[in-house]
Structure formats: structure tokens, C-alpha cells
Amino acid sequence: MSEGTAETGAATGGVNILLRLEGLTLFAGMVTLYAAWDGSWLVFALLFFVPDLSFLAYLSDARFGAMVYNAAHSYLAPVALLTLGFALASPLTLSIALIWLAHIGIDRALGYGLKYSAGFGFTHLGRIGRQKDS
């Protein structure tokens, strides 16, 4: 068994490609909806990378960092927010949800998956960073 396999298993082959294509589709869909919604592109630019601030939790430790990062990069909260935005007919809430989902989509398309507590570079889509091939 290779280093970390049991704790940091990652999708490979066609499954990895499918997951990354899903991310690209999510990104394209959310950007298209945002454009159709006629959302402010300034707001989009200002909020697009906000979920990445969650990586600061890694300053505490890898386990806490992974938990916070995954919470910010899971579909759970932005889909709930999207639903709430529709229910309340709240343009700001819908805009935030669309931007958040677009961010998650492009991250997944680029191979930045949900993190394992083994470290920031261990994701469900495979290793990232300088040591990804080791």
C-alpha cells in the first residue's frame, strides 16, 4: 500500500475526469445563471475567492484546516443558500450562492478537491502541490 492510501484515497482515471468535468459544468452553469440574473460583475470579482480564505484555518493545524476548508468548499451551504434565496426572493442571497457555487466548480475542475486531514495537498481528486508526484 502506498503512502497515505487508506487515509487519503483519491478518485482516479475516468472517475476523476468525470468529477472534474462536473466541476467545470457547475462553474459554467453558475456563471451563465449569474449573467442571466444580471448580477454585478464587480460583486462577482470581489466575492469569488472568499471561500479560499478558509485555508487560513490550516494555521491552526491540518485537521482543523481540512474541516474548515471542506465546509467552505462543499455544496451543502451554497445550495442551502441558493434555496433560501429563491424562497425569500433575495437577489443578494442568490448572487452569493451562485458565486460560491461557481468558485467550488472551478476549484473542482482544476483538481482542487476536498481535503483530508493528512495535509492541504491531500484531496479527494488526488495530490496537489509540489509533492503531488511523490
Side-chain angles (χ1 to χ4, degrees), residues 24-76:
L24 184 60
T25 301
L26 179 65
F27 172 74
M30 294 304 102
V31 170
T32 300
L33 286 174
Y34 194 81
W37 176 253
D38 202 25
S40 164
W41 292 107
L42 177 61
V43 170
F44 190 95
L46 290 172
L47 296 181
F48 188 74
F49 291 106
V50 167
D52 283 340
L53 294 175
S54 62
F55 83 88
L56 293 172
Y58 277 92
L59 295 173
S60 174
D61 66 52
R63 183 180 172 109
F64 182 68
M67 182 179 67
V68 172
Y69 184 92
N70 290 343
H73 288 82
S74 163
Y75 302 131
L76 298 172

Side-chain angles (χ1 to χ4, degrees), residues 59-109:
L59 295 173
S60 174
D61 66 52
R63 183 180 172 109
F64 182 68
M67 182 179 67
V68 172
Y69 184 92
N70 290 343
H73 288 82
S74 163
Y75 302 131
L76 298 172
V79 169
L81 194 63
L82 187 71
T83 304
L84 183 65
F86 274 112
L88 299 176
S90 170
L92 178 60
T93 304
L94 285 169
S95 292
I96 292 168
L98 292 171
I99 295 165
W100 194 352
L101 286 165
H103 172 88
I104 293 170
I106 198 65
D107 268 11
R108 299 278 169 79

Side-chain angles (χ1 to χ4, degrees), residues 9 58 66 69-75 104 108 111-116 119-120 122-126:
Y58 277 92
Y69 184 92
N70 290 343
H73 288 82
S74 163
Y75 302 131
I104 293 170
R108 299 278 169 79
Y112 295 99
L114 297 173
K115 310 298 183 208
Y116 289 102
F120 187 81
F122 295 89
T123 82
H124 82 289
L125 296 175

